[in-house]
Amino acid sequence: MRIPAILFLALSMVACNNSPDQSQANRTDHTHLLETDTSLVQAPDSAKLPADDELQHYTPDTTDLSPEPKTAAKIMIEGRFHKHEVWQGAEQKPWMALVQDDSVFRLQPSGMQVTTFFDPVYDKGRQVRSGREVRGEHPNTLLFVTGIAKLQASEVDTVGYPDQVILPNTAIDLRYKGRTYTLAASGDSIQHEGSESYSVQNYKWTVTGTKSGRKITQELAADENFESAIYVLLWVGDLDRDGIPDLLADLSNHFNTSKVTLFLSSLAEKGKLYKKVADFKTEAYPEIAPPDSVAKP
């Protein structure tokens, strides 16, 4: 289960949705890929949900809660999630929030509130509220992060926040402080039998840039198979203030899941540009069916 702003991002693969920096060198009909018909996304029938006055008497489900992730760094987003996706004690951590105010982004301390709600997927037939709703104290919070000492409260230099899909065999340039970092995608677009629509296989992200005067190329993520989905670049900016833009992406390969992932440059190993420091995996309602795919002109 994901917040609405991210729910459909991994499904958008419209060829005409290119930034000015996106390469056109390898454009073919195979890059005219998927467009989501969101009318096909089915949420549980609200008519079958308990009435509000009934829900007040349902018991919060506190059984079998997920343990805290063992990674030092942890991230989370706002939204409604299944119980197992929000680990026990998350609201007690000292979170920093990446907050948007018009075109300005700031990193600032934030409390987190976790409340329960009736989850129609897991609570059906039970008088409990097992769902977990996550909210911060600041409006327009894009991300919560904890466990990274390098992050300090400040305005964040932002390169872009385009919810950008990078089509197979194209690239985008991320320009920051006089340097260019190129995020390239490779992969195969496969035509569906008897259809004009396409899907992606063997898709991969590679980033190239300069660090300490040396040109570095690094593979960031790869998946062989995708189910009506593709990676999405959610936001780019210098969170750790080291002069190299950091990356926030949804690296899900399935239409029914989200895998929000944070890459930081300041924690990268020698010879690397980035380190994946944390991710937050969620799923939508199992009832959601894959979207139809149509070729775009």
Side-chain angles (χ1 to χ4, degrees):
M1 197 176 297
R2 287 168 282 171
I3 59 174
I6 292 178
L7 180 58
F8 304 124
L9 289 179
L11 306 177
S12 298
M13 299 175 61
V14 186
C16 58
N17 186 26
N18 297 318
S19 71
D21 293 333
Q22 185 155 347
S23 169
Q24 305 294 315
N26 297 309
R27 295 293 298 279
T28 70
D29 287 343
H30 281 205
T31 61
H32 294 191
L33 297 171
L34 303 177
E35 181 180 44
T36 302
D37 181 355
T38 57
S39 66
L40 298 176
V41 180
Q42 302 296 323
D45 187 351
S46 60
K48 298 178 182 179
L49 299 180
D52 290 342
D53 55 349
E54 291 182 54
L55 290 175
Q56 295 178 15
H57 303 290
Y58 281 26
T59 304
D61 185 352
T62 58
T63 62
D64 300 321
L65 300 180
S66 297
E68 180 177 335
K70 295 181 180 180
T71 57
K74 303 166 185 67
I75 64 173
M76 198 169 289
I77 58 176
E78 290 190 318
R80 284 189 160 196
F81 309 103
H82 301 306
K83 179 181 70 172
H84 63 275
E85 295 167 346
V86 179
W87 38 273
Q88 186 175 14
E91 68 277 13
Q92 299 171 11
K93 287 290 180 179
W95 292 97
M96 298 288 282
L98 180 61
V99 179
Q100 181 180 5
D101 182 9
D102 292 327
S103 60
V104 176
F105 283 82
R106 293 183 175 86
L107 196 61
Q108 55 195 87
S110 175
M112 177 186 289
Q113 182 182 49
V114 179
T115 57
T116 60
F117 69 94
F118 181 82
D119 184 339
V121 174
Y122 290 102
D123 297 343
K124 186 177 180 180
R126 305 191 304 156
Q127 292 189 345
V128 298
R129 302 192 306 271
S130 74
R132 295 299 192 264
E133 182 169 6
V134 175
R135 288 285 178 260
E137 63 181 79
H138 307 295
N140 301 320
T141 294
L142 178 64
L143 179 74
F144 298 102
V145 59
T146 189
I148 304 176
K150 291 178 176 291
L151 301 187
Q152 301 178 13
S154 64
E155 185 173 319
V156 179
D157 290 339
T158 300
V159 177
Y161 42 99
D163 296 340
Q164 177 70 58
V165 165
I166 308 172
L167 298 175
N169 308 314
T170 67
I172 61 173
D173 289 332
L174 307 171
R175 297 187 175 93
Y176 183 59
K177 292 192 173 181
R179 296 180 179 177
T180 298
Y181 302 85
T182 299
L183 185 56
S186 62
D188 305 318
S189 53
I190 309 300
Q191 185 172 8
H192 298 168
E193 185 176 354
S195 171
E196 294 184 353
S197 61
Y198 294 81
S199 60
V200 170
Q201 292 182 1
N202 304 316
Y203 184 74
K204 177 171 65 178
W205 273 7
T206 303
V207 65
T208 300
T210 302
K211 181 179 180 181
S212 302
R214 178 187 174 190
K215 184 177 180 180
I216 297 174
T217 297
Q218 177 185 349
E219 180 180 310
L220 288 180
D223 275 291
E224 291 184 5
N225 298 304
F226 287 77
E227 184 67 31
S228 299
I230 195 173
Y231 298 163
V232 181
L233 183 62
L234 301 176
W235 179 86
V236 182
D238 193 4
L239 273 178
D240 50 23
R241 300 190 298 177
D242 68 342
I244 299 176
D246 304 299
L247 311 175
L248 183 67
D250 186 343
L251 299 183
S252 171
N253 67 345
H254 194 280
F255 69 91
N256 200 43
T257 66
S258 175
K259 187 180 178 183
V260 177
T261 306
L262 177 63
F263 293 90
L264 287 184
S265 54
S266 62
L267 298 179
E269 299 173 353
K270 185 177 181 180
K272 302 286 187 180
L273 283 170
Y274 292 102
K275 179 179 180 179
K276 187 185 85 168
V277 296
D279 59 33
F280 180 55
K281 303 174 185 177
T282 62
E283 64 181 26
Y285 291 116
E287 294 94 330
I288 293 180
D292 281 351
S293 304
V294 296
K296 291 297 294 180

